Amino acid sequence: MSDKHTVILQDRVGGGISMQRKFDSLSILALSVTLLASWEGLASTLSSSLLNGGPSSLVWGLLLSLTGTLAMAFSLAEMASICPIAGAQYHWTAMFAPPGIRPFITWMQGWATVFAWQSSTTSIFLLVAKQVQGLITINYPEYNPTQWQSTLLMWAFTAFSFAVNVWGIQILPLLQLFGGIFHVVFFIALSVPLILLAPRSTPEFVFKTVMSEGGWQSDGISWCIGMLTVTYCFLGFDGAVHMSEEVRNPAKVVPRIIVQSVVINGVLAFGFVLILLFFIGDVGAALDPASGFPSIAIFYQATGSAKAATAMQCGITAIGLMSSIGVVASVSRLTWAFARDGGLPFSKFFSQIDSRFHVPFRAIGLVCVVVVLLSLINIGSTTALNAILALSTCSLYISYLIPIILLVFRRFDKSGTQINWGPWTMRPWVGLVVNIYSIVFGLFIIVFTPFPSMLPVTAENMNYSGPVFVGMAILLVIDWFFGAKTRFKGPLKEQMQKVANA
């Protein structure tokens, strides 16, 4: 009943589930590259690093973030080669965790990953909606953007992504391929006008200037907080892993794609941040909230034309919308996998695959419905919504660190089962060094993630990531001891083996 393009899985919630392997190396690379969209993300969040850290944190912080992200990418790539499965991090946690804590840590890991990706998905839709409002503002200065309008825009973009992921699933690989091409073409198209038309900054400003406009007395702390902006733009490099069960020859292809997508985005992001800083023009104008986004202000200063700035920003917004399609695809597969293992409420319902389109229709719907529900919070309070979305960075890094830490312990465990490495692997001592560096870098990021970007702290500018994460962890622990402990056993070993060998 299956061929080289289809994998049939039997799960504990019952039924045969079929997923077509429709992605080849090029199309999954394009999806992964577009999903990250690092240089486009930097263009949209530039102001955060200009307030804290300044140009120095953007340039040198990006290089530091790139090395740490690459170390994590290499570490996860090895595990993806061992077991290329949609559940990714929580499956690998189940593989390497000691038996005594395996169900509990897998449960916590699975929910942390699902929560992180769901909040990241919502933040992408919110960012694209705000960009559209910024485009309207520059063309119609009398326009007064409101929160309910951005919520409606989020609904429209969510509906579009849902439609493509269900009814347009057969053209999704081709669509993502075009997205990957535009990711490079728009980089060139936007860079050339800035280089030719914008005033030039000095090398001292670009490489040495440290700014601390957020109120922090310590330039070092301000620099580290500013670096989080470029670090955030590399989040989501595990997106391709969650599509593993729809990729041909995943044990070889997916690990390579993880690393390649980080390298491609890192090179483009570094080039674009240099261009933005060398041709930023008036920094005060770039930080003006009235412009909507710093990128729009920079484009307008360079060209002197609202229409030209609109056209340039539309390229970034279009990639953001393409990225949202890939994110919905990736997160829905993660959600589906967790339901397949019995981790979600109503798991049997959400683990089903649509027999006509061969996609996890209900999981896709769940992801989009949660985005819509969270967007309703934006109508009442953007601060409340941002408090929930702040969960993404901390939770994603923790989801990366847990299996990497367990893998390091397994490397030194001579009494346990030996690791059956996949076809894509590093030399043992190289892998250990890379694992340790990725752990150090991840812990460094997690420490600074809860820091507020502005002082003094108010209800509006407070960073809620720490309290929200602690609250989520407490609720999960309570749920574990009052129900999940008896019903959740973790991924089936046989199931993971089937996927790895498919």
Side-chain angles (χ1 to χ4, degrees), residues 36 38 62 65-66 69 230-237 262 265-266 269:
L36 273 180
S38 294
L62 190 149
S65 295
L66 182 56
T69 304
V230 292
T231 304
Y232 174 80
C233 294
F234 290 123
L235 276 180
F237 59 87
V262 174
N265 274 277

Side-chain angles (χ1 to χ4, degrees), residues 172-189:
L172 180 60
L174 180 62
L175 192 63
Q176 292 300 314
L177 182 59
F178 279 112
I181 294 173
F182 293 150
H183 178 66
V184 178
V185 171
F186 288 159
F187 169 83
I188 300 172

Side-chain angles (χ1 to χ4, degrees), residues 435-457:
N435 294 160
I436 293 175
Y437 178 62
S438 66
I439 293 171
V440 173
F441 173 77
L443 292 174
F444 169 74
I445 296 300
I446 290 172
V447 166
F448 283 98
T449 297
F451 278 52
S453 59
M454 298 288 291
L455 292 178
V457 177

